[in-house]
Amino acid sequence: MHCPFCKHPDSRVVDSRTTDDGTSIRRRRQCPDCGRRFTTVETASLMVIKRSGVTEPFSRSKVIAGVRKACQGRPVTEDALAQLGQRVEEAVRATGSAELSTHDVGLAILGPLQDLDLVAYLRFASVYRAFDSLEDFETAITELREQLPPTTPGGLDEDLGVPTPAVAAD
């Protein structure tokens, strides 16, 4: 590491600590030439390959911004969005891959978003999976109903904004 003051090509690590969120390491360094101290922050790079082929660093804030759009008008707090962003980042980092596609990031978002809010999940999935018809929505809703345990009358249907059919008593 070059000294930012005198440009000496070497430095000595005096102290190392992980940051509060555990995603990076803060190192305190000292230049052997001029004796001045400076701080560096090291993070493991995680790159996302976009559909166009362009590569850019993974951004938790981009994940949260995309999910925030799907959650518009829903009872989802900023804290819940931040936790979702952290879960997604942990999931993609756990793959151990230094590069992943936007498709992989989308898959990592769908699980936590389904746990967070079903309507937001359907909104996000409709864009992510490029729904073209009502049948695509019906299929996704059917899949959700099969995955979730049965609820009291009006449960899932009301959560999805679909009126619950009236059942006549015999």
Side-chain angles (χ1 to χ4, degrees):
M1 181 78 213
H2 290 300
C3 174
F5 306 107
C6 71
K7 308 298 183 219
H8 189 269
D10 197 16
S11 64
R12 183 175 65 89
V13 176
V14 178
D15 182 38
S16 292
R17 297 180 188 191
T18 59
T19 56
D20 291 337
D21 61 1
T23 60
S24 57
I25 298 174
R26 180 187 162 274
R27 296 196 193 276
R28 196 73 181 132
R29 298 176 175 269
Q30 184 171 6
C31 176
D33 194 38
C34 70
R36 294 180 74 177
R37 289 186 176 195
F38 57 98
T39 301
T40 59
V41 178
E42 298 175 17
T43 59
S45 74
L46 178 61
M47 302 302 284
V48 177
I49 305 167
K50 299 175 84 171
R51 287 184 209 144
S52 65
V54 174
T55 305
E56 67 178 39
F58 174 83
S59 170
R60 186 189 299 188
S61 61
K62 275 191 165 185
V63 168
I64 293 171
V67 172
R68 184 179 288 120
K69 290 177 187 174
C71 292
Q72 249 178 346
R74 301 295 303 157
V76 176
T77 65
E78 284 298 316
D79 285 344
L81 288 175
Q83 288 175 350
L84 182 139
Q86 182 174 350
R87 284 180 62 191
V88 169
E89 184 171 357
E90 288 170 355
V92 296
R93 286 193 184 277
T95 65
S97 178
E99 290 185 341
L100 58 147
S101 68
T102 53
H103 179 75
D104 296 332
V105 175
L107 286 176
I109 292 171
L110 286 175
L113 185 55
Q114 183 177 343
D115 296 340
L116 182 64
D117 187 272
L118 293 174
V119 173
Y121 167 82
L122 278 175
R123 289 176 180 170
F124 188 88
S126 71
V127 174
Y128 174 71
R129 293 194 205 155
F131 287 3
D132 291 327
S133 64
L134 289 175
E135 288 78 24
D136 293 335
F137 279 97
E138 289 172 348
T139 302
I141 291 171
T142 302
E143 289 172 2
L144 283 174
R145 285 189 177 122
E146 290 171 358
Q147 290 175 7
L148 297 174
T151 59
T152 56
L156 179 61
D157 290 331
E158 284 182 6
D159 288 345
L160 297 175
V162 178
T164 305
V167 178
D170 290 338

